[in-house]
Amino acid sequence: MAEFAIFDGHNDTLLRFYQNEDSRCGDFLSGLEGGHIDLPRARQGGLAGGFFAVWVPNRDDRIDPSSMPDTSKPYAPPAVDHDYALAVAQRMTADLFRIEAAAKGQVKVVRSANELQTCIEKGVFAAILHIEGAEAIDEDLNALEVFYQAGLRSLGIVWSRPTIFAHGVPIAFPSSPDIGAGLTEAGARLVKRCNQLGVLIDLSHMNEAGFWDVAELSDAPLVATHSNAHALCPISRNLTDRQLDAIKESDGMVGLNFATGFLNEDGAWDSDRGLDAMVRHFDYLVERLGETRVGFGSDFDGARVPDAVGDASMLPRLTAALQAAGYDDALLRKLAHQNWLRVLRKTWK
C-alpha cells in the first residue's frame, strides 16, 4: 500500500463496463485487463476511491482513451436525447451498485463526508456517484430527485456538448474557454436545486459563460473536479487565471487532470514526457489557489495519461515526484484527500 491515501476527483471506469459486455462487476474486484483502475491496482497504488462518472457516449460511439480527438479544430459531439441518456445512466449507475454488492464491504458508495472519511481511515474503497453531462436529467428535474435518493452527490451540468441546461465547451487547442452561451433558464433551476440538495456542481466541462452564470447563482464552493491551468496549457478545457481566482474566492477546489493534452504546453497527446508537466500544473494551482484547494482529478479510464503514471498502481510515482519538488508530507496529505473532504463537507447536506 502506498504511503498517501489518494481520493480522486474523476474516473470513467463505469464507461469501461458499459462498453465491454464481457466485463462483470466481480472483475473490478479481481482485476481487469487494460484500463487504469480496478481494486487490486487501487490497493497497490494507494487509491482510496474517487468520483465514478456516469457519462453517456453518443450512440454507436465507442470511446478509446488511447486515441484522443484532434483538438486543432473544436471537438464537440452532437447532443444526445433524454430517453437514450436516461437508459444508459440507469445501467451505469446500477453497475456501480453491483460492484458495491459484489465487494461485500470492500467498496462503498458514499453519501456523506463522514462516510468518506471513515472509508479512507478503514481502507474501504469509496465511490461517489457522479453524473457527467446532465442529459439524463429532465427539465422538471424529476430524474435529479430519483438519482439523488439513489446516491448522486456530484453533477456536471454539461460534458463537451449541449444539453437543455447549458452549452459544454468544445475542446480546442489553442483556444479560450469563452465559446458559446451560458446557462438556460432550466440550467439556472438545476443549479438552485443542486444547492438545495447539496449536490456538488462540477464545472470541468462548462464554457466560460456557463462558469460565470454558475458562479453568480450558486451558494456552494466552485469546484472543477478534473481541470488544469490554461496559463500552462491553453486548451479550452482548462481554467483561466480569472476562473481560478473565482474558485479561490468561493473556497472551492480543482482536481488536477492527468490527460496529456490538458497538461502538455503544446497541447499534444504525447504520453512519454514524464511527470514534469504534472508537477508544473500542481505548482501553478497551489500557488494560485492555496494549499487547501487543489487535489487529484485523474480522468483515469477516460483519457490518455502519462506513461509514468499509466494506471492506479503507479500513483506513488507522482507523489514521489512531488516530494522531489519540495512538497512535504502535510501538503501531500491535503492534495491526496484532505482537500476533497474539506470541500465536500462545505457542499453536501
Side-chain angles (χ1 to χ4, degrees), residues 14 17-18 21 23-29 52 87-109 111 127 129 150:
L14 295 175
F17 277 91
Y18 176 75
E21 294 182 356
S23 291
R24 297 291 181 267
C25 295
D27 296 338
F28 179 83
L29 308 178
F52 275 66
V88 174
Q90 288 174 327
R91 154 72 189 278
M92 294 176 73
T93 300
D95 277 345
L96 180 60
F97 292 125
R98 291 184 182 111
I99 290 171
E100 181 184 39
K104 297 180 179 179
Q106 297 181 80
V107 176
K108 180 174 178 58
V109 179
R111 296 166 174 81
L129 175 58

Side-chain angles (χ1 to χ4, degrees), residues 187-324:
R189 293 197 301 274
L190 178 60
V191 169
K192 288 298 186 182
R193 186 57 183 149
C194 284
N195 283 170
Q196 292 166 356
L197 291 170
V199 172
L200 182 146
I201 299 169
D202 179 18
L203 297 167
S204 291
H205 282 272
M206 295 291 289
N207 63 10
E208 195 164 1
F211 177 98
W212 294 116
D213 285 345
V214 173
E216 182 177 352
L217 287 170
S218 180
D219 60 14
L222 301 177
V223 176
T225 62
H226 58 303
S227 294
N228 296 337
H230 191 272
L232 300 185
C233 174
I235 195 167
S236 55
R237 265 284 280 110
N238 283 343
L239 298 162
T240 66
D241 285 350
R242 185 167 169 245
Q243 289 174 305
L244 293 174
D245 291 345
I247 290 170
K248 178 180 180 179
E249 185 177 350
S250 75
D251 204 17
M253 71 173 287
V254 174
L256 185 133
N257 195 319
F258 293 12
T260 55
F262 304 162
L263 289 166
N264 295 330
E265 61 183 9
D266 59 359
W269 290 101
D270 294 352
S271 59
D272 59 354
R273 301 189 187 185
L275 299 177
D276 289 349
M278 299 184 80
V279 174
R280 285 196 299 272
H281 278 270
F282 266 117
D283 287 346
Y284 193 91
L285 292 173
V286 170
E287 177 67 24
R288 195 89 193 186
L289 294 169
E291 293 186 357
T292 62
R293 303 184 187 92
V294 183
F296 289 72
S298 70
D299 217 345
F300 273 155
D301 284 323
R304 182 183 295 176
V305 303
D307 295 340
V309 63
D311 64 34
S313 70
M314 302 181 189
L315 285 168
R317 296 183 181 181
L318 178 54
T319 54
L322 292 170
Q323 285 176 314

